[in-house]
Amino acid sequence: MIISASRRTDVPMYYADWLFNRIRAGYAYVRNPVNPRQVSRVSLEPEAVDGIVFWTKNPAPMLDRLDALKEYMYYFQFTLTSYGQDVERHIPHKGKGVIPAFQRLSDSIGPQRVIWRYDPIFLSPGYPLEYHIRWFEILARKLAPYTRKCIVSFLDFYRDTARNMAPLAIRPWEGEQRQTLARALAQIARSHNLTLESCAEDIPLEEYGIRRARCVDGDLLGQLLGRPLAVGKDKNQRLACGCAQSVDIGAYHSCPGGCLYCYANRSPGLALANRARHDPAGPLLLGQLGPEDKVTQREITSRSREQTKLDL
């Protein structure tokens, strides 16, 4: 199986100690986000894991401990935007902290395994279309030697994101603005030998040379592993999402990053309250098992054509 760590929270930045403890233990408990009393025991034994996809804005807490992952294949989805702390409130300084971490990670594991995400893109008085074009060029120039691909997406409004982003005075996309921006970003990407892909977009961008992304990419993991993975599309994601099936070991409403556009946090206050319930030594990312919780062993089927395992 493929482990996602995590669409729900930034595990590398805020929960790295927990992650490495779970790697050593060989399993993690994961609450069902719809029915929290249902808890899955997910094997993290190397023979059960075909690959890990890490999602982060800053992997610095992991960089000195990557040797602990030597028995696993993995890659990073690394979000690095041009927004300031009015949008990404608790993300470190890009020039002094995040860009050097991106470069160091790539030097450690190779540019094919560090995928740059410039997303989500939105327009506001402080972040007009011209701003994104200018800063995408600046970032592409700095990051191109350290990655092979960039994934972009346009902001999707959910109830919580609309409320959290109200102070920014977000402007709706008008006319051909998205196409104009896509065309400009594609030209910049080509000039730096970067492949540009779009994440779960319902508008066609192929005419600009922008392919549809598979952020959890079974083909990429198969190439890195040197053996094919028989993995299907993740039916739990949006219709336009091309991701392969994966098991997410994170938890919603737990990321202290304070990014106003985040779909996985109801509010910054709730995220901080949940963070206070975190025990790095515990099997759950948040809190402890209760008497009403039901733990179920999750059946683990490797997608590699070489092996199958039942987690007991």
Side-chain angles (χ1 to χ4, degrees), residues 78-290:
F78 195 131
T79 298
L80 207 169
T81 72
S82 59
Y83 299 123
Q85 290 191 328
D86 59 329
V87 178
E88 297 174 343
R89 292 182 172 175
H90 303 300
I91 304 304
H93 188 279
K94 305 294 175 62
K96 296 178 181 178
V98 180
I99 291 174
F102 191 108
Q103 295 167 337
R104 183 180 168 197
L105 177 64
S106 176
D107 287 340
S108 297
I109 65 176
Q112 190 178 10
R113 294 166 65 187
V114 185
I115 297 172
W116 172 31
R117 301 183 69 89
Y118 187 87
D119 82 313
I121 302 172
F122 63 82
L123 302 182
S124 72
Y127 299 99
L129 189 146
E130 296 77 14
Y131 176 96
H132 288 290
I133 295 173
R134 177 164 57 91
W135 278 99
F136 187 83
E137 162 64 37
I138 292 170
L139 290 172
R141 189 166 60 249
K142 292 179 179 293
L143 301 180
Y146 301 93
T147 186
R148 298 287 181 263
K149 180 191 298 186
C150 178
I151 295 176
V152 297
S153 73
F154 302 112
L155 178 69
D156 289 316
F157 266 104
Y158 299 93
R159 181 184 60 188
D160 294 334
T161 56
R163 182 185 64 247
N164 293 336
M165 297 187 73
L168 297 174
I170 303 301
R171 294 172 174 168
W173 296 95
E174 297 178 352
E176 298 291 312
Q177 281 185 321
R178 284 190 293 182
Q179 288 83 349
T180 299
L181 182 57
R183 186 186 303 110
L185 299 188
Q187 290 173 349
I188 293 169
R190 282 194 297 272
S191 72
H192 292 284
N193 296 315
L194 290 172
T195 297
L196 193 63
E197 296 181 349
S198 65
C199 175
E201 289 300 330
D202 56 6
I203 60 171
L205 299 173
E206 288 82 359
E207 64 179 293
Y208 310 118
I210 302 175
R211 304 184 304 193
R212 294 185 182 272
R214 290 177 292 182
C215 304
V216 177
D217 191 339
D219 289 345
L220 173 58
L221 281 170
Q223 293 169 16
L224 294 170
L225 288 164
R227 59 179 186 269
L229 298 183
V231 57
K233 184 180 184 299
D234 193 334
K235 298 177 182 179
N236 294 318
Q237 302 301 322
R238 291 170 289 173
L239 186 63
C241 178
C243 283
Q245 273 185 305
S246 63
V247 178
D248 200 296
I249 61 171
Y252 288 111
H253 315 301
S254 63
C255 184
C259 300
L260 298 187
Y261 53 70
C262 182
Y263 64 86
N265 270 352
R266 185 175 302 134
S267 70
L270 178 60
L272 292 174
N274 281 333
R275 167 74 171 171
R277 299 170 49 227
H278 172 64
D279 177 5
L284 283 164
L285 186 72
L286 300 178
Q288 306 293 332
L289 288 176

Side-chain angles (χ1 to χ4, degrees), residues 6-51:
S6 154
R7 282 188 178 94
R8 302 169 182 173
T9 193
D10 195 328
V11 170
M13 180 154 53
Y14 296 110
Y15 299 104
D17 289 343
W18 177 84
L19 171 72
F20 287 113
N21 285 336
R22 299 331 305 154
I23 290 291
R24 284 191 290 271
Y27 74 96
Y29 285 165
V30 182
R31 289 193 186 276
N32 183 325
V34 177
N35 185 350
R37 293 304 181 192
Q38 294 180 353
V39 179
S40 294
R41 183 186 188 276
V42 178
S43 176
L44 298 178
E45 296 289 350
E47 63 268 24
V49 176
D50 293 311

Side-chain angles (χ1 to χ4, degrees), residues 286-306:
L286 300 178
Q288 306 293 332
L289 288 176
E292 298 180 4
D293 290 333
K294 180 180 179 181
V295 178
T296 302
Q297 306 284 350
R298 187 178 182 112
E299 184 177 345
I300 301 303
T301 303
S302 171
R303 300 301 176 178
S304 168
R305 295 196 175 127
E306 296 181 356

